[in-house]
Amino acid sequence: PRLLSQFFFADERVTRVVAEINGLDAELDPQQYLVLLNQLHLSQAHLLAVLERIMEECIPTQRHSRDYLVKFPEELLVDNLGNHMLFAAECLLAGTFLEMEESDGAQLRPQARNLLCSLELVRTVLREQSLSQPNSYPEPVRTVLIQFDRLFAEFELSYVSSLVAVKSPDEIYRQQEIIVLFCETVERALHLGYLTQEMIDGYEPLLMFTIPRLAIISGLLIYPEGPLSLERSPEEMSRVFSPFYNLLKKIRDLLRVLSAEELCLLERSLCTAE
């Protein structure tokens, strides 16, 4: 159950697989080489997962900020992102520039080198600690973990920023505006009896359609200065809604001619229609 003991065996597994790869002629046995590469990927992912738990236990208040993750496209925020970063650093150090321009890769190589050297130091220090005092984290251990955590975060941000366009502060703010709009829409729908708390607690599938529909009405009529404000230009709106700028104007004009009773009837129908 001790994390340092788990780390020791995870590290042993990585070391063993690397040794097997180094002793294999990939040209003579390409299939076995691919098998070992997959084993290396899995063993490194497990090692990083244990290391993450160790850092949460050892330096929980000294972790480097990961606020930059909100800038990343949602499709990149996957469970194995850390392992992908490690693989990318190894490729860069070997002179292989995957998915990026050579000039960008050359600029990232020093960061990749520092990260991998820091990881090796962490592995050495934690192995020694697991063999001597596996129940404690003395200051030298904490120091190398803090350094590794910082270098990993800096490399992750730099690497992803070189591949994709990360979100600007304005885009993040617009996204937060949409979250607020959806929250206020749900609160209003509960108050008016359009939805029930049981539906929300039970993750009623119909809500995937109902809440966005109600949010459009709320954004156009109830909260006209929010993220659906048509006083802004399309460029100033969130990319979620900007392609439908003209359609939203037509919907707003139609909604404005409805009486309170008609609007209520429309909203109730949106809660049941498929």
Side-chain angles (χ1 to χ4, degrees), residues 27-237:
E27 294 183 358
L28 294 179
D29 196 348
Q31 186 170 356
Q32 179 62 16
Y33 181 72
L34 292 176
V35 170
L36 289 175
L37 278 182
N38 184 59
Q39 291 180 6
L40 178 61
H41 175 80
L42 295 175
S43 60
Q44 284 181 330
H46 179 56
L47 181 71
L48 287 178
V50 177
L51 180 55
E52 176 69 23
R53 291 169 60 196
I54 288 175
M55 290 191 291
E56 282 299 310
E57 181 176 88
C58 179
I59 53 170
T61 61
Q62 297 169 287
R63 299 293 305 271
H64 193 81
S65 173
R66 296 303 197 278
D67 290 347
Y68 59 82
L69 290 174
V70 301
K71 298 182 177 183
F72 291 1
E74 283 74 10
E75 60 269 19
L76 290 184
L77 301 178
V78 294
D79 292 338
N80 63 344
L81 179 60
N83 203 37
H84 182 76
M85 291 299 103
L86 182 59
F87 177 71
E90 291 170 340
C91 289
L92 287 171
L93 198 59
T96 303
F97 307 111
L98 297 176
E99 307 171 320
M100 65 172 57
E101 297 293 331
E102 184 173 344
S103 58
D104 293 332
Q107 288 184 348
L108 286 172
R109 283 189 72 183
Q111 280 186 278
R113 181 183 297 107
N114 291 338
L115 172 60
L116 294 176
C117 289
S118 178
L119 177 58
E120 285 305 306
L121 179 58
V122 165
R123 291 176 63 184
T124 300
V125 170
L126 290 184
R127 280 174 63 90
E128 293 175 352
Q129 187 66 25
S130 68
L131 293 172
S132 58
Q133 293 178 303
N135 291 318
S136 64
Y137 300 105
E139 192 58 33
V141 172
R142 298 167 61 86
T143 299
V144 297
L145 288 174
I146 292 171
Q147 181 189 46
F148 171 74
D149 189 47
R150 175 180 60 81
L151 291 174
F152 198 103
E154 291 174 352
F155 177 77
E156 185 174 55
L157 176 59
S158 298
Y159 181 79
V160 174
S161 298
S162 69
L163 293 180
V164 299
V166 297
K167 298 173 185 174
S168 67
D170 285 342
E171 288 174 311
I172 295 172
Y173 179 76
R174 292 170 192 154
Q175 190 175 50
Q176 292 172 337
E177 278 191 315
I178 295 174
I179 294 172
V180 172
L181 172 63
F182 273 56
C183 290
E184 291 177 335
T185 296
V186 170
E187 184 178 357
R188 176 174 175 270
L190 287 171
H191 177 71
L192 295 175
Y194 297 154
L195 307 175
T196 66
Q197 191 62 48
E198 289 74 19
M199 295 172 67
I200 296 174
D201 294 341
Y203 300 102
E204 173 63 44
L206 185 61
L207 296 179
M208 294 172 56
F209 302 97
T210 298
I211 294 176
R213 290 168 175 170
L214 294 177
I216 290 175
I217 294 179
S218 295
L220 293 174
L221 291 185
I222 312 302
Y223 311 108
E225 297 180 358
L228 282 179
S229 172
L230 297 178
E231 300 304 316
R232 307 177 181 180
S233 66
E235 293 75 21
E236 295 175 311
M237 296 179 69

